Amino acid sequence: MSLSHQQKVYIPKEARTNQYITAEIKVTDELLNQYPDYHSCYQTLSRIIFNLAEQHDLRNVHVITNDKLPVVRYHTEAYCFQTAEQILFFYNPAYHEAQNLFTADNYRARKLRIVFLATGDEIRSNSANFHTRVQEFLNQLMPKLPIKDLKVKIRDHQHLSYDLFAKSKGNKETYGYKLRAIAPRYKARKCELPENVSSLTYVTVSLPLSRKLKQGLLPESATDFSPLYQHLEDNFLKAAANKQLTRLAMIANGLTPLVRNSKFEKLDSKAEVQMIGFDPNATEQQVIRRWDADNLVEAAHFTIVAGAKDCDDAGYGRFMNNVEAALKSFAAEIGLDPEREDLVIRFHQHISYLL
């Protein structure tokens, strides 16, 4: 295989792209003291934010003051669901627009979080422009706040998702992606980032635990589910090792995995979210396993994280080709049917920094 071919990954044309940016502002006593109560604070600030967003042509913007975690996914219809700890946004960037304030009565937020969902077409190629508009928005927002010198934590999330088995289902058309890191992509498009940027790239796959999978490995009326979980873990680790993929996680405890850079982030898992941290610069193997033999869950979640050597100027093509090969081997070992079952790969690129 030629070097240029290794540096590209051929992804189905039907692949979906998402981008969203969050801006987090710590809620301090000094900030709250400028208003009669929490409600007045959040309502006043959200009106300022929404009016300014209109001026910057940011069309899908949400303010969260109940400390719930935003989760963004593509969908042909727009939905927004709240759980105890999460707010799930489902939308199509091509035509969904919205403004919402998510708050709770008499609740003091730890942080005010602004969520900007990318809109329009060609999300990936326009990602730098979207980030620049958010930066300009924030530079104009901060002087309008009653407290000066507030710090803003920016997180830029980009997803590329597709079915690993698309070709087996007759979707033959592909597009060759030379997946580049966010920083050089943005620099080439005149979007300036500070020097101290934390970045992380990883792939996630959610595997529904089908009746076929369970019947093949568990006796009837089983109460010990370790044979199922151990089988999945062993085959996942084996397939990854064959492709020299060493930063791995299997989560099958009913929680939603949230991936962070362990060097920069404090990792506290909650009732709904399993925090998992990786250091992309570390050379030793990093494997995280979280499953309970007494608890049969609906899906197992697998994560493969790119290391620093996977993130050079040549892009992530070699990394993604190894990921695809490993996942196809894993799928074959556990008996998935490519023509009838989906295995959706979600390629994540994430950066964060203080503005």
Side-chain angles (χ1 to χ4, degrees):
M1 183 183 295
S2 68
L3 182 61
S4 61
H5 191 77
Q6 290 177 18
Q7 292 172 357
K8 288 186 178 181
V9 57
Y10 289 83
I11 290 174
K13 287 192 71 175
E14 292 77 14
R16 293 164 175 166
T17 57
N18 278 95
Q19 181 185 15
Y20 68 100
I21 299 173
T22 62
E24 301 171 357
I25 302 171
K26 187 176 180 181
V27 176
T28 63
D29 291 338
E30 189 181 4
L31 178 62
L32 290 172
N33 288 340
Q34 308 302 309
Y35 303 94
D37 51 42
Y38 300 153
H39 177 77
S40 298
C41 175
Y42 305 149
Q43 289 287 342
T44 302
L45 293 178
S46 65
R47 283 195 293 270
I48 295 171
I49 289 166
F50 293 144
N51 288 337
L52 190 59
E54 293 275 358
Q55 298 174 29
H56 288 268
D57 198 31
L58 296 167
R59 303 182 181 185
N60 206 326
V61 179
H62 306 269
V63 177
I64 300 175
T65 62
N66 56 13
D67 289 322
K68 293 185 180 181
L69 177 74
V71 178
V72 180
R73 294 290 183 264
Y74 176 94
H75 203 281
T76 53
E77 297 182 54
Y79 295 105
C80 182
F81 301 106
Q82 291 195 63
T83 68
E85 296 179 353
Q86 302 173 75
I87 302 178
L88 294 88
F89 297 97
F90 295 87
Y91 85 115
N92 185 333
Y95 49 81
H96 288 145
E97 303 174 2
Q99 288 183 346
N100 286 298
L101 168 63
F102 298 91
T103 189
D105 293 339
N106 301 316
Y107 178 78
R108 174 175 173 151
R110 293 188 301 276
K111 63 183 71 172
L112 183 147
R113 183 183 277 123
I114 311 169
V115 182
F116 306 88
L117 305 183
T119 57
D121 300 315
E122 303 296 333
I123 296 298
R124 190 171 178 86
S125 60
N126 290 323
S127 60
N129 175 266
F130 179 57
H131 193 100
T132 297
R133 284 190 288 125
V134 170
Q135 287 178 327
E136 293 170 348
F137 164 91
L138 291 169
N139 287 332
Q140 289 191 22
L141 173 66
M142 301 314 289
K144 296 178 182 295
L145 301 183
I147 302 300
K148 306 308 175 188
D149 300 321
L150 287 171
K151 297 296 184 182
V152 184
K153 179 70 171 287
I154 296 179
R155 301 180 191 270
D156 188 333
H157 305 258
Q158 298 177 33
H159 305 160
L160 184 64
S161 56
Y162 58 97
D163 179 15
L164 182 65
F165 302 143
K167 189 173 291 187
S168 298
K169 298 180 179 69
N171 300 316
K172 306 292 187 182
E173 287 189 87
T174 61
Y175 182 83
Y177 278 83
K178 185 178 180 182
L179 301 171
R180 300 176 65 204
I182 290 178
R185 276 197 284 131
Y186 281 13
K187 185 176 182 180
R189 290 169 172 80
K190 311 302 181 185
C191 174
E192 297 299 324
L193 297 175
E195 288 187 12
N196 191 21
V197 174
S198 169
S199 63
L200 195 64
T201 299
Y202 57 95
V203 172
T204 60
V205 170
S206 293
L207 174 70
L209 300 184
S210 65
R211 185 173 64 172
K212 182 179 73 172
L213 261 177
K214 291 181 282 193
Q215 285 181 336
L217 294 162
L218 298 173
E220 201 169 328
S221 303
T223 57
D224 176 10
F225 307 111
S226 55
L228 170 63
Y229 294 141
Q230 196 64 61
H231 177 73
L232 294 176
E233 179 187 315
D234 291 345
N235 281 287
F236 174 61
L237 295 182
K238 178 183 175 183
N242 287 339
K243 290 297 177 179
Q244 294 79 50
L245 300 166
T246 60
R247 298 164 184 84
L248 312 164
M250 173 181 164
I251 307 299
N253 56 7
L255 303 184
T256 301
L258 184 65
V259 186
R260 289 288 184 260
N261 189 319
S262 59
K263 184 177 179 180
F264 298 100
E265 300 282 351
K266 183 179 178 182
L267 304 177
D268 293 323
S269 294
K270 300 182 179 181
E272 295 179 0
V273 177
Q274 175 72 60
M275 300 289 287
I276 52 177
F278 292 88
D279 182 354
N281 293 302
T283 55
E284 67 272 11
Q285 186 182 46
Q286 301 170 63
V287 178
I288 298 173
R289 309 167 178 85
R290 297 288 185 274
W291 51 264
D292 181 355
D294 300 325
N295 180 23
L296 182 61
V297 296
E298 294 182 1
H301 306 282
F302 300 90
T303 301
I304 304 173
V305 177
K309 65 180 179 60
D310 301 310
C311 308
D312 57 21
D313 290 341
Y316 300 94
R318 185 181 292 104
F319 169 72
M320 281 301 295
N321 283 321
N322 285 336
V323 167
E324 284 199 358
L327 290 174
K328 286 177 180 177
S329 174
F330 171 61
E333 287 296 325
I334 64 174
L336 294 188
D337 185 345
E339 294 183 4
R340 292 180 172 83
E341 297 179 86
D342 293 346
L343 193 64
V344 176
I345 289 180
R346 188 168 281 112
F347 173 75
H348 297 252
Q349 287 181 286
H350 168 263
I351 61 169
S352 61
Y353 60 91
L354 283 175
L355 185 64

